[in-house]
Amino acid sequence: MIGLGTLINAAAVIVGGLIGLWLNKGLAQRFQDTIMQAQGLAVIFIGISGALGKMFVEQKGVLNTQGTMMMVLSLVLGAVIGEWLNLELHIERFGVFLKTKIHDKNDSHFVDGFVTASLTICIGAMAVVGSLQDGISGDFTMLATKAVLDGIILIIFAATYGIGAIFSVIPLVIFQGSITLLAQLIEPWLTSAAISNLSLVGSTLILCVGLNIMFNTKIKVANLLPALIFATLFGIILK
């Protein structure tokens, strides 16, 4: 069944989030603060490992780097477009809209949880490649693997941020579902170079999410999302 992978992924996010909410009720603030730092550290290293895995290549016994200029150009161009569109503001407004709809106006962490969890589980090559495989051949193996990872991530996010993190399932379903439905049209354009670029830049953005969590910084990661489009285009054009 085409689309089953996204449904499994969505279910894992919801279940993981509910477990996290249950854990959240019995956690003192000091535990929440420490878990937040641990979570940020883990996300930072996930981003670093993903980026370095695509940047470093072995050629004749020598370790070289690749994709550095592509990454810089993609991030700069993406930042210009993202800041112009102010994607971060629109995502935050959607989070506020969801917050009012569930009548939980006193939850100060709702929007942060929604935005941070959404960016973490939607950015990355697994979401794109897994959705393509699901849409083309009905193979949801990669998305099922991603579902396990996302479920664990949501336990931590929901335990720290609360119910807002669970609503990240909405952009997840929209993003992965759209790719699955359009897979037949998208697949011929996504070369191995395009996917590699997407993974490199996506991992860099995940690193930024981790920095925001760990150090309470305010890198506008959502405003950098167009960088993923430029990275993919560079992979298609310069293959």
Side-chain angles (χ1 to χ4, degrees):
M1 173 184 168
I2 291 177
L4 183 59
T6 294
L7 293 178
I8 293 173
N9 202 164
V13 167
I14 293 172
V15 171
L18 292 175
I19 294 172
L21 280 183
W22 176 73
L23 292 174
N24 175 266
K25 294 178 181 178
L27 284 178
Q29 187 61 47
R30 64 189 182 92
F31 283 97
Q32 293 184 34
D33 293 341
T34 303
I35 290 173
M36 177 82 79
Q37 292 176 337
Q39 174 181 281
L41 186 61
V43 175
I44 285 172
F45 275 94
I46 289 171
I48 290 174
S49 63
L52 294 183
K54 294 300 179 182
M55 286 184 67
F56 287 105
V57 292
E58 183 183 353
Q59 295 176 337
K60 298 180 179 180
V62 179
L63 197 61
N64 295 315
T65 59
Q66 64 179 6
T68 306
M69 186 58 64
M70 177 281 302
M71 179 181 65
V72 172
L73 289 175
S74 296
L75 288 173
V76 171
L77 293 172
V80 171
I81 299 299
E83 195 64 37
W84 176 58
L85 295 173
N86 209 346
L87 297 175
E88 184 97 4
L89 178 62
H90 293 307
I91 293 176
E92 288 179 353
R93 283 179 174 172
F94 184 57
V96 172
F97 168 76
L98 293 174
K99 179 179 174 180
T100 58
K101 286 300 180 182
I102 65 169
H103 307 291
D104 196 4
K105 297 181 180 180
N106 296 322
D107 187 350
S108 59
H109 296 296
F110 186 98
V111 177
D112 286 340
F114 169 71
V115 174
T116 305
S118 297
L119 291 172
T120 304
I121 66 176
C122 290
I123 297 174
M126 285 186 78
V128 176
V129 177
S131 298
L132 285 173
Q133 291 178 347
D134 192 6
I136 294 170
S137 62
D139 180 6
F140 57 86
T141 306
M142 184 174 293
L143 288 185
T145 302
K146 180 176 178 291
V148 175
L149 299 174
D150 288 351
I152 295 171
I153 289 171
L154 258 292
I155 291 175
I156 302 171
F157 273 127
T160 308
Y161 289 108
I163 195 172
I166 300 179
F167 281 86
S168 61
V169 72
I170 297 175
L172 174 82
V173 169
I174 293 173
F175 179 65
Q176 292 185 181
S178 298
I179 294 175
T180 298
L181 292 175
L182 297 173
Q184 299 289 344
L185 296 175
I186 298 173
E187 192 268 341
W189 297 96
L190 280 183
T191 62
S192 58
I195 294 173
S196 179
N197 288 357
L198 179 66
S199 180
L200 172 53
V201 175
S203 295
T204 305
L205 297 186
I206 290 175
L207 169 61
C208 293
V209 173
L211 291 174
N212 281 344
I213 298 171
M214 183 73 175
F215 300 107
N216 198 27
T217 55
K218 190 55 180 175
I219 301 172
K220 296 180 180 179
V221 181
N223 283 357
L224 295 176
L225 288 177
L228 297 172
I229 298 174
F230 284 107
T232 304
L233 289 176
F234 283 136
I236 294 172
I237 297 170
L238 305 175
K239 59 183 177 179

